[in-house]
Structure formats: C-alpha cells, structure tokens
C-alpha cells in the first residue's frame, strides 16, 4: 500500500530497558539495590494490608448482618467514632482519613 508507514516490530516499539538506578531514581547501584529491596518489602506489606482489610470487611459484614437481623441499625456511629479516635491517636491527623476510608470500605452497600 502506497503512503502507509512501515510497521515496527514489538522490540522496536518498547522502550530500552532501564538500569536499576534509573528505575529507582538513585544515583548509585548500592542505593538502587537498597531501594529495590525496600520496595519488595513494601509490596509484601501492601499484600498483607489488603488481605487484612478484606478480612475486616468480611467480619464487619457479619456484625452488620447480626445487628440488622436483631432490629438494629446497619451502622453504629459511636463505634465508628471510637475507631476514628484510635487511628488518629496512633497515626495523627492522616490516621483519621485512613480510618474513614477503612470504615467506608467496611460499611458495605446500604
């Protein structure tokens, strides 16, 4: 076909492989290795945190179901205030935002 651009192979389309230092923003290989190891640890921690949040959501659903079945409300605001205070005391002001997000996740659908 006249006028069409030549197709490029997948190899030509991908960016060149970056060094460890380039991937991490470090200026030395030693720092890059340290950062890579720390990032791997963070990834493992994030996996555990996600699993714990999912477990918390399941336990919260059991509590909500029992409360609703017994004629209570889906949400217990005084308990949520306790949780907000606990996170704020442990983590400072950003802890309150984290707790709010967690509570939203665990409330389920109305």
């Amino acid at each position: 076909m006249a006028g069409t651009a030549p197709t490029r192979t997948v190899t030509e389309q991908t960016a060149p492989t970056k060094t460890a230092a380039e991937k991490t923003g470090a200026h030395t290989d030693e720092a890059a290795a340290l950062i890579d190891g720390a990032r791997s640890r963070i990834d493992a921690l994030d996996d555990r945190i996600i699993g714990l949040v999912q477990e918390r959501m399941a336990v919260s659903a059991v509590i909500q179901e029992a409360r609703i079945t017994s004629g209570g409300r889906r949400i217990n605001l005084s308990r949520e205030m306790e949780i907000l205070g606990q996170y704020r005391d442990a983590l400072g002001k950003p802890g309150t935002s984290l707790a709010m997000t967690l509570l939203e996740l665990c409330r389920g659908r109305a």
Side-chain angles (χ1 to χ4, degrees):
M1 297 165 107
T4 59
T7 57
R8 294 170 37 171
T9 65
V10 172
T11 306
E12 292 173 323
Q13 293 175 3
T14 57
T17 305
K18 291 183 176 182
T19 66
E22 291 171 329
K23 288 179 189 176
T24 62
H27 292 276
T28 66
D29 289 337
E30 294 80 17
L34 178 83
I35 291 168
D36 275 340
R39 283 182 177 171
S40 292
R41 179 77 175 125
I42 285 174
D43 290 345
L45 289 167
D46 284 343
D47 288 343
R48 288 174 47 201
I49 291 167
I50 290 167
L52 289 169
V53 169
Q54 290 170 331
E55 183 178 350
R56 191 186 192 289
M57 291 168 68
V59 172
S60 183
V62 169
I63 292 168
Q64 287 177 35
E65 181 64 25
R67 192 181 304 119
I68 291 168
T69 300
S70 72
R73 298 177 67 182
R74 185 173 65 89
I75 297 171
N76 182 336
L77 294 177
S78 64
R79 173 66 176 149
E80 288 194 359
M81 293 305 293
E82 289 175 25
I83 293 165
L84 290 168
Q86 180 181 0
Y87 275 72
R88 183 189 60 247
D89 292 346
L91 303 172
K93 187 176 178 181
T96 305
S97 297
L98 177 61
M100 281 301 300
T101 299
L102 186 60
L103 290 169
E104 285 181 39
L105 285 168
C106 293
R107 284 180 188 139
R109 301 212 191 298

